[in-house]
Structures are given as C-alpha cells and as structure tokens.
Amino acid sequence: MTTVLRPHAEQQYAEELALLAKEDDRPRPPGWKLSPWAVTTYILGDGERITPKYVGARRIVEVAVATLATDRALLLLGVPGTAKTWLSEHLAAAVSGDSTLLVQGTAGTAEEAIRYGWNYARLLAEGPSQEALTPSPIMRAMAEGRIARVEELTRMPSDVQDALITVLSEKTLPIPELNVEVQAQRGFNVIATANDRDRGVNELSSALRRRFNTVVLPVPATAEEEVDIVARRVAQLGTALQLPETTTGLAEIRRVVTVFRELRGGMTEDGRTKLKSPSGTLSTAEAISVVTNGIALAAHFGDGVLRPSDVAAGIVGAVVQEPVSDRVVWREYLETVVRERADWRDFYRACREVS
C-alpha cells in the first residue's frame, strides 16, 4: 500500500478498526462489523488510540449512525467542504468494512449506475442471462448486505434519482429481463450526499426525500475548531503525499482560516466591519488545499518554513472565482481590512504581489 496515493478508509485505518472490533462487546445490528457505539468512537476518536476522522457535534454523528441501523437511508446535506464525502466514506468503512461501493452523481449519470447494466457482447451472443448482467454498486451492496454510497445525489437527472425509490422502500431490485429480483440482505443501506448550493439543479422528489433521514453538516462553529480541522488534515495529507518536512506554524493556518471565515460570513471577526462575500464557498476543504499547496511551495521552493508568500497565491485563487466581481471584493478586503492589521503587513505585501 506504500505506492497507493490515497488508500481507502478501511485500508488506511485498518488497525483502528481491528482494535475496536476486538474490544467491542456491545450489540451489533445484523451485518455490521461494529456496534453503533464503536462506529461513533471510530468517527470521533477516543483521545488516545483512535484518531478523530470528523470534528463536529457528537449528536450529529450519533443521529447519522442510528439512521443506518434503521430501514431509512441517510442523506448528508451541507455546503461544499463540510466533509460530507469524508464522513460517508468512514461511516461505510466502519459499518460494513467496505467504502468502495460508490456511485458518483453527475449530469451524465445513467440509470444503469443505480440498477444494473449489461455486457452487450454476451447479451448479443447468449441473450439475457445472469452472466451477461453487470451489477451496479448498489445491487452489489444489496446482495452482500453492505453500505452503498451515492455522491452528489442532486447532480443526477431526476429520472435516475427515482430509480432509488423501489430500492429504498421495498429493499428489492427487480430484473424483469430475467424474471428475478435481488433482495437486500441485512446490513444494506444507502448513504447519499447533496450540496446545499445545488438547490434548483435536480431537486429530490418528495417521494424520494421521504426515504431519507436528512442530517445537515454545518460549517465549523468557531475559528479554533476550523483551525484544528485544517491542521489535522494538512498533517495527514503531508504524510500521505510524503512532502518534505516543513515548519508549519499555526499562525499561517489561522490566518488562512480567518480570511475565509470573514469573507464567507461577510463580517470581520471583531464584528466592526461589514464585508462583501465572493461567489465561491471558501470552505474548510479549500482552506486545507491552500495550506497544503503552501507547504509544497515552502518545501520545494522555499526555506522549509511556511510563510505568507506561500499561501497568498492559493488564497487569491480560492477567493477570485469570478474574474470581475470577485476581484473587486478581494481588493476591497485587502485594502480595508488586511492593510490595517499591523501584524499582517507581510501577508498584505505577498497578496498585493500575486494580485
């Protein structure tokens, strides 16, 4: 696994999952690898041997885990960058030991991705048969009693979304060409994610929405919480990417988080100055990307210390998504807020250079 760029959750955290499974003496729902209590511990960490995978309110995770133990599917809803995909992957890994049964929702996703397809060479040669059938990840999850994941559900066309209704309500997937059906085994469920900003793209029908229990993932409540999340993920990514050792000061991470939170919220952190917000989301995930890219710059082209000049270009690129309107927002913020902060002068100069 040393050559794999990004191992699946069940591979990367196999030791933690094995440790929890060994010590877990609580009741487990049918088909689950761990009890709901152990799954929650795996997600949130225990402060000692189990590292936290998600930083947020415990109740949110408990509700999500409890939903998966029922006959209702789970919909993780939130703005971009609130760890919906990350949480769904780790939930699937902890519950069924397999996070790879994934359907990626796009405007071009076909119904076969939800139901099944055919090997057309065998179909033409032999006619409809079990051997010619190509099961979807959801069909495999049903047959094996595992968790299936559907990413960006609202990006799919509405008719493709509705292919889930029978699966979620009847827990069966008919194959009329073979006059058979696949019935879900115990342990099967679906975790879907959807983006708050995709409202109006392909909204869920009321029939499909009723089949889900919706859990909203909020943005980090405080700056310190967001700084902690960014620092943890940057450290993990640096190890995974085998970046050279750098001195990653929390000061620069805190500065990136402050800029993102102020522009995202339309107000400086002291509450004294109202700000215009850019068109982008400026999510925690983007802050992680900016800092990680800065570390790469510092390691390969700098002196190994993360400095304002290493993160400035990444911040400008994240803020200025629309070349005209966002550039006006950024320049106003730079001149009225950043310039006035005495301890941000080096950051101001770096941003002016790349702007």
Side-chain angles (χ1 to χ4, degrees), residues 6-9 84-94 99 149:
R6 187 189 182 282
H8 299 302
K84 299 183 296 295
T85 298
W86 180 255
L87 181 57
S88 74
E89 178 185 358
H90 283 284
L91 284 170
S99 64
R149 299 165 55 210

Side-chain angles (χ1 to χ4, degrees), residues 11-226:
Q11 299 168 333
Q12 186 173 359
Y13 297 96
E15 292 183 4
E16 292 186 14
L17 290 168
L19 177 64
L20 283 169
K22 181 180 179 181
E23 298 179 354
D24 186 15
D25 57 358
R26 301 185 182 224
R28 303 181 188 184
W32 284 39
K33 301 292 185 182
L34 300 171
S35 69
W37 176 86
V39 172
T40 302
T41 302
Y42 168 75
I43 298 295
L44 296 174
D46 64 357
E48 297 177 1
R49 298 171 296 174
I50 308 300
T51 59
K53 319 302 180 301
Y54 174 78
V55 178
R58 182 179 185 86
R59 198 59 177 174
I60 290 176
V61 177
E62 290 176 343
V63 170
V65 173
T67 297
L68 295 175
T70 69
D71 63 346
R72 288 174 66 82
L74 173 64
L75 175 62
L76 299 176
L77 185 67
V79 298
T82 47
K84 299 183 296 295
T85 298
W86 180 255
L87 181 57
S88 74
E89 178 185 358
H90 283 284
L91 284 170
V95 170
S96 58
D98 185 358
S99 64
T100 64
L101 298 173
L102 172 67
V103 176
Q104 179 62 57
T106 68
T109 300
E111 192 173 326
E112 287 80 2
I114 301 295
R115 300 176 72 238
Y116 54 87
W118 297 97
N119 180 327
Y120 286 103
R122 300 197 67 164
L123 183 65
L124 292 172
E126 306 168 5
S129 66
Q130 195 72 41
E131 290 71 26
L133 189 73
T134 304
S136 69
I138 290 178
M139 178 183 280
R140 288 179 52 204
M142 294 175 71
E144 299 169 9
R146 297 180 184 273
I147 299 291
R149 299 165 55 210
V150 180
E151 289 297 314
E152 303 292 352
L153 179 59
T154 51
R155 304 299 296 179
M156 293 181 181
S158 299
D159 56 332
V160 178
Q161 293 176 12
D162 288 344
L164 280 169
I165 292 177
T166 301
V167 170
L168 298 181
S169 59
E170 304 297 329
K171 299 298 187 288
T172 184
L173 182 56
I175 309 175
E177 296 90 342
L178 302 180
N179 198 30
V180 298
E181 65 180 6
V182 175
Q183 290 184 300
Q185 302 299 303
R186 292 184 180 275
F188 166 74
N189 212 327
V190 172
I191 304 174
T193 66
N195 189 334
D196 264 355
R197 294 212 169 190
D198 284 343
R199 288 178 180 172
V201 178
N202 292 304
E203 293 192 27
L204 303 184
S205 65
S206 58
L208 182 56
R209 187 174 284 277
R210 287 196 304 269
R211 270 71 181 183
F212 283 100
N213 187 28
T214 301
V215 173
V216 178
L217 299 185
V219 296
T222 66
E224 289 305 316
E225 185 176 297
E226 191 163 1

Side-chain angles (χ1 to χ4, degrees), residues 79-81 195 197 219 260 264 278-284 286 318 321:
V79 298
N195 189 334
R197 294 212 169 190
V219 296
F260 277 31
R264 192 168 65 210
S279 60
T281 58
L282 300 182
S283 65
T284 307
E286 289 172 288
Q321 299 291 317

